[in-house]
Amino acid sequence: MKKILAMAAVVALTAGVSGYAANVNDNVKFSGDVNVKHFNEKNGDTPIAARVRLQADADLTDEVAVSGRVAFSNVFNSNYGDIKHVALDRLHVVYSPVQVEGLKLDLGRTGVTLGSDKDVFDNSFDGVVASYAKDQYAVEAGCGKVRLFEHHNLLEDIDDSDNLGYLKGSFDVNNQVKVGGFFVRSLGENKVNIYGINANADVAENVSVFGDIVKVDAPEDPTVKVIGVKYGDVNDTVGSWEAKLKYYDADMNANFKKLEISGNASMWIAEAKATVYEDVTLKAALEFNKKEATGAKEDNTWGLELNYAF
């Protein structure tokens, strides 16, 4: 997989330099964001986690684009001390043939998401990804490794991940209902299969419901369940907002950290998010009624998050 990432880097660098020399104003775009999270737990741990991401995108031709992004994270004011990390979380080449509308081939370190609300996986992925979307259908397949894990702005390199393949798809039943599913197969020594189905439906004006059921091949056939409701829809418009309430439940032995599935717990999650200024969003979240699979209760956790995109 290092060869794939190295190949993508060479292609991106070579083509990117050519594109920059041709016309920097038309071919290269720079963007990024700054995100700060604050957490409060009853045990007295009140960490602040800051993350800065800088991204460069270049359209080399009508069919080929390259993209790279560097992420800086720093967790401080924590009982565990300051934790700093710098990571290259995107470096990939995307080929979109004009002859086949909706088809994309992605090579390098890209982003992959699984689940209706990104509860299963939303992280960096080294490998090859092919996707096709047209009308109400969408399908995506990839093969590679999870090399970078991010949770609450904490970045962590993963050196012992197995090669894996995945397939996911979705179908818009109508303008209000969307269903989907995915399958993940670990190709390493300890083979693990993960199956998931999800759905999202608009049930009233500004109100939608969503959910996931994920099964992991492990002793006692553990399951992860997520169900939620959302009101509103936050966007770039100042004053737009949304609120969510989700129930998350994971059986014992449902752990599969490489895919962000955190087993052994159940909880309610309440979230509210609003665009308070141009390119600035504010979010508040509360995790409550938290229980381990053994029945033991955990402390409630609340947090605030500020994000600025540029």
Side-chain angles (χ1 to χ4, degrees), residues 143-203:
C143 183
K145 286 188 176 184
V146 180
R147 285 294 195 186
L148 185 67
F149 177 79
E150 179 179 352
H151 185 62
H152 290 328
N153 283 351
L154 176 62
L155 298 169
E156 177 184 346
D157 293 319
I158 298 176
D159 299 323
D160 58 347
S161 62
D162 292 336
N163 284 308
L164 59 85
Y166 77 91
L167 174 67
K168 74 172 186 177
S170 64
F171 171 67
D172 295 334
V173 179
N174 51 42
N175 292 333
Q176 287 77 40
V177 180
K178 180 177 183 178
V179 296
F182 66 86
F183 169 73
V184 180
R185 170 71 167 176
S186 172
L187 305 175
E189 181 179 353
N190 299 317
K191 293 181 172 56
V192 177
N193 292 335
I194 302 176
Y195 314 85
I197 58 173
N198 54 74
N200 193 308
D202 297 328
V203 296

Side-chain angles (χ1 to χ4, degrees), residues 90-105:
R90 294 291 185 274
L91 183 60
H92 58 125
V93 181
V94 180
Y95 172 60
S96 306
V98 295
Q99 297 89 346
V100 185
E101 184 180 357
L103 177 64
K104 289 185 179 181
L105 300 177

Side-chain angles (χ1 to χ4, degrees), residues 53-111:
R53 298 187 299 192
L54 303 175
Q55 181 166 326
D57 301 287
D59 294 326
L60 306 181
T61 69
D62 293 337
E63 297 182 326
V64 180
V66 296
S67 180
R69 188 171 72 187
V70 180
F72 309 84
S73 69
N74 188 5
V75 180
F76 50 95
N77 197 38
S78 169
N79 292 339
Y80 303 99
D82 290 357
I83 305 172
K84 299 180 176 66
H85 197 87
V86 180
L88 182 66
D89 72 335
R90 294 291 185 274
L91 183 60
H92 58 125
V93 181
V94 180
Y95 172 60
S96 306
V98 295
Q99 297 89 346
V100 185
E101 184 180 357
L103 177 64
K104 289 185 179 181
L105 300 177
D106 201 335
L107 171 68
R109 176 165 292 179
T110 186

Side-chain angles (χ1 to χ4, degrees), residues 246-257:
K246 296 192 292 187
Y247 177 69
Y248 178 93
D249 180 61
D251 294 336
M252 185 78 75
N253 298 327
N255 292 301
F256 198 78
K257 181 180 177 181

Side-chain angles (χ1 to χ4, degrees), residues 117 210 228-231 242-246 269-273 283:
D117 198 37
F210 56 90
V229 59
K230 184 182 81 167
Y231 179 84
E242 67 181 36
K244 290 181 185 178
L245 179 64
K246 296 192 292 187
I269 305 172
E271 299 177 350
K273 185 177 181 180
K283 177 180 175 180

Side-chain angles (χ1 to χ4, degrees), residues 263-294:
N264 231 15
S266 66
M267 71 184 78
W268 287 89
I269 305 172
E271 299 177 350
K273 185 177 181 180
T275 302
V276 296
Y277 195 70
E278 184 177 1
D279 300 322
V280 178
T281 57
L282 182 65
K283 177 180 175 180
L286 171 66
E287 297 178 352
F288 62 100
N289 198 23
K290 301 169 66 175
K291 297 179 181 179
E292 297 181 1
T294 58

Side-chain angles (χ1 to χ4, degrees), residues 205-208 229-234 241-245:
E205 185 177 1
N206 295 324
V207 180
S208 62
V229 59
K230 184 182 81 167
Y231 179 84
D233 185 21
V234 69
W241 63 279
E242 67 181 36
K244 290 181 185 178
L245 179 64

